[in-house]
Amino acid sequence: MKLVKHIKLLLLPALFALSLPVLAMNLQQAMAALGPAKAQGLVGEQANGYLGVVQNSADTADIVKLINDARRAEYARLAQQNNIAVADVEAMAGKKALERTSAGHFILLDGNWVKKP
């Protein structure tokens, strides 16, 4: 009986570890969640071309990380393709993102999150 209990204790962490990828958000889900997260004031755009967490919630950090990772890869690809620095691509993307941000959504200005007028 002790052996069965011991085996169950060993298997439980393994089963949990296997279930984690199922629970994790993917990029497609993050993209779908981005609009609502911006509308709720959880996520905002920054001048550096990346998203930032305005107010933390259950999935906010995952949304920001997944989308920023995808943006980072795309910026690197564009920089290489156009033979320019990644920082230049980030700056251009950040400028466009701030311009395109809808009124009432958050942007980072001078280190403070503000609602775009």
Side-chain angles (χ1 to χ4, degrees):
M1 192 60 136
K2 283 186 175 182
L3 180 61
V4 172
K5 190 173 186 180
H6 185 67
I7 291 173
K8 285 182 182 179
L9 288 175
L10 289 174
L11 288 178
L12 189 59
L15 290 173
F16 181 73
L18 290 174
S19 68
L20 285 179
V22 175
L23 299 174
M25 181 180 286
N26 64 36
L27 180 58
Q28 184 177 358
Q29 292 166 325
M31 293 297 291
L34 180 59
K38 283 184 172 184
Q40 294 171 23
L42 303 174
V43 174
E45 292 287 350
Q46 303 177 98
N48 65 2
Y50 298 100
L51 294 171
V53 174
V54 177
Q55 185 177 356
N56 218 346
S57 76
D59 293 329
T60 306
D62 289 338
I63 294 167
V64 168
K65 181 184 179 338
L66 287 165
I67 293 174
N68 282 348
D69 287 349
R71 286 182 179 187
R72 192 170 290 106
E74 180 63 9
Y75 297 162
R77 186 190 69 76
L78 288 169
Q80 184 177 20
Q81 178 183 343
N82 294 289
N83 199 28
I84 59 175
V86 173
D88 292 338
V89 176
E90 291 170 335
M92 288 184 282
K95 183 177 184 223
K96 284 184 181 181
L98 293 178
E99 290 170 357
R100 292 179 179 170
T101 296
S102 300
H105 289 191
F106 282 92
I107 56 174
L108 188 65
L109 290 179
D110 299 323
N112 297 307
W113 288 110
V114 297
K115 283 188 178 183
K116 185 174 176 183

